[in-house]
Amino acid sequence: MKLNFVLLVFFFGPAALVHADPDTLTVDEVWAGHPVGFDLYTTERHQYVCYYDAARNMVIAQRNLDSSKWKKTVLPTKIKWDSHNYVRMALDAEGYIHVSGNMHNVPLIYFRSQSPESIDQFTAYPMTGVNEERVTYPIFFKNPAGELYFQYRNGQSGQGITYWKKYHAKEKEWTDVFDQPLFDGEKEANAYMSRLVQGPDGYFYMVWMWRLTYIANTNHNLSCVRTKDFTNWETIGGVPLKLPLKWSSDTTIVDPVGPWNGLINISFNIGWDAVGRPCISYHKYDKKRISQVFVSRWEDNDRWESYQVSHWPDFRWNLDLGGSLGGGVKATAVQQEPDGNLSMSYTHEKYGSGTWKLDKETFAIREDLKAPAAPPQAATPGLGKEPRSRSDNTGTYTMTWETLPANRDLPRDLPGIVTSTLIIYKRK
């Protein structure tokens, strides 16, 4: 995949089309001056992509699933340099398209299509108009009945509050899910949480950590709760909880990691072992202050047990910084293997990437399958070094592109517009 410096600015109107192979689809040349998340959504009839184009415009593209032709519409908002400002989208039960993004402590940016399954015209709306003045981290999701929800933080890092809203498709109206926040840091912290993930027991699990300030290393107290109906919440041990989930409570803590100990909100996941026990993978420092991967598992239905998975000899990820951080150490959720053991993929700034085969009881590494070495770096410094990807809601399609590495949300002095090619692959 080639990345270029492009000295021309491209604008796409609603009728712009791109032709591509049905199984390997080229969508567009996209902004690559810094990493920022795009989104991919597939229905029975159409596929939608939302991204920032070469001119940094937010764009939504649509194609019929039996066609390689893309139709595109430019939405009235442009990305700057902040990697927090990803874009997300969803379709409601009536087929209307919802898009939100390009936000970091700014008023809500939210668009809804004027017609079902059509990108011809979008209108910007508030949702409820309440607690929408300093929005970050938009997430659309659905409950088991297919009803659309929206989660976001209102406020800044260290003092933000998490809210949920629910969309009523027939009335075209958003309402607050609760009469209070979901998470409340009590003006001392804010929660950084995962998406809801459904476990083999039918519960939906949410993992989070609290953070004191904008400095990443003030993350602390890895925690977890579950729900079956998105209304009633409980601890993993089944103890009912009252909302909001507060910073001062200790009933949901998985690992009481203190601030300045390497807990980081961009590297934690939840999976399950072969007998259905939840396993949370995350990064923190070991006793020697070295970056390591850990897993905490719920055992004997009464406690969380923490296991150190990696034993790297050196390297400490510097998290005493603010802004978007790249590199470091990341690990996926544990996966079940056919023999009953577990596996986990990882990336490491110094020691590369690969997949670990793990003992099902101790999480000891039985085998380390190293990934192939990265291709040579492109002529332009940093380009080609960091591929990005996102799978769609069905797991059938994945889109890929490349960007310059994270720069703590600071501008770069570039000689032109840096772009890469956004491509969608269909899994076979």
Side-chain angles (χ1 to χ4, degrees), residues 83-281:
S83 291
H84 293 82
N85 293 26
Y86 62 77
V87 58
R88 293 292 179 259
M89 61 181 165
L91 271 70
D92 64 38
E94 302 291 322
Y96 288 84
I97 307 159
H98 302 251
V99 180
S100 184
N102 199 18
M103 298 176 295
H104 189 191
N105 301 345
V106 299
L108 176 70
I109 297 176
Y110 162 67
F111 305 99
R112 187 173 72 235
S113 66
Q114 289 300 293
S115 301
E117 301 183 62
S118 170
I119 67 167
D120 287 342
Q121 186 176 358
F122 284 81
T123 300
Y125 293 101
M127 287 186 173
T128 65
V130 179
N131 298 316
E132 297 174 2
E133 66 277 2
R134 299 186 67 190
V135 178
T136 314
Y137 304 123
I139 298 175
F140 291 106
F141 59 99
K142 294 182 179 179
N143 65 8
E147 297 171 304
L148 184 63
Y149 287 72
F150 185 71
Q151 174 185 290
Y152 65 99
R153 184 188 78 190
N154 193 59
Q156 68 187 38
S157 182
Q159 296 184 3
I161 298 177
T162 302
Y163 293 94
W164 273 21
K165 302 195 175 189
K166 181 178 180 181
Y167 188 68
H168 304 272
K170 292 190 181 298
E171 296 83 3
K172 296 183 176 63
E173 179 181 78
W174 288 95
T175 60
D176 290 313
V177 177
F178 315 112
D179 59 2
Q180 56 210 332
L182 177 60
F183 291 98
D184 186 355
E186 303 170 282
K187 298 183 179 180
E188 296 287 345
N190 76 275
Y192 282 87
M193 69 292 298
S194 68
R195 295 181 67 97
L196 285 169
V197 181
Q198 189 171 24
D201 55 4
Y203 281 95
F204 290 85
Y205 289 73
M206 181 176 284
V207 183
W208 79 96
M209 58 191 69
W210 295 102
R211 184 157 150 183
L212 296 174
T213 72
Y214 73 97
I215 300 298
N217 214 359
T218 62
N219 282 302
H220 60 286
N221 286 356
L222 184 72
S223 306
C224 185
V225 292
R226 67 184 187 182
T227 180
K228 274 194 173 178
D229 58 10
F230 289 23
T231 301
N232 298 293
W233 297 80
E234 63 184 43
T235 68
I236 306 307
V239 179
L241 295 166
K242 291 183 179 181
L243 298 183
L245 302 171
K246 293 185 176 182
W247 172 71
S248 58
S249 172
D250 61 1
T251 60
T252 60
I253 294 175
V254 175
D255 187 349
V257 183
W260 313 106
N261 283 288
L263 197 62
I264 178 65
N265 55 287
I266 57 175
S267 185
F268 65 112
N269 295 282
I270 186 167
W272 283 264
D273 68 10
V275 295
R277 293 176 293 185
C279 304
I280 300 172
S281 56

Side-chain angles (χ1 to χ4, degrees), residues 4-110:
N4 307 291
F5 279 112
V6 180
L7 299 180
L8 298 175
V9 177
F10 300 93
F11 293 92
F12 298 93
L17 301 175
V18 174
H19 298 261
D21 183 288
D23 291 328
T24 304
L25 303 165
T26 298
V27 181
D28 206 346
E29 287 296 302
V30 298
W31 171 246
H34 73 285
V36 63
F38 301 161
D39 208 6
L40 178 64
Y41 197 94
T42 307
T43 67
E44 292 183 356
R45 296 178 54 200
H46 298 109
Q47 188 165 70
Y48 304 86
V49 191
C50 208
Y51 59 94
Y52 296 104
D53 69 7
R56 306 199 197 191
N57 299 297
M58 185 187 289
V59 175
I60 184 165
Q62 177 193 47
R63 72 177 180 98
N64 295 331
L65 279 185
D66 60 359
S67 172
S68 60
K69 296 181 179 180
W70 291 99
K71 183 177 184 179
K72 298 174 184 175
T73 294
V74 175
L75 298 173
T77 184
K78 295 169 74 82
I79 187 74
K80 292 184 178 178
W81 290 99
D82 198 327
S83 291
H84 293 82
N85 293 26
Y86 62 77
V87 58
R88 293 292 179 259
M89 61 181 165
L91 271 70
D92 64 38
E94 302 291 322
Y96 288 84
I97 307 159
H98 302 251
V99 180
S100 184
N102 199 18
M103 298 176 295
H104 189 191
N105 301 345
V106 299
L108 176 70
I109 297 176
Y110 162 67

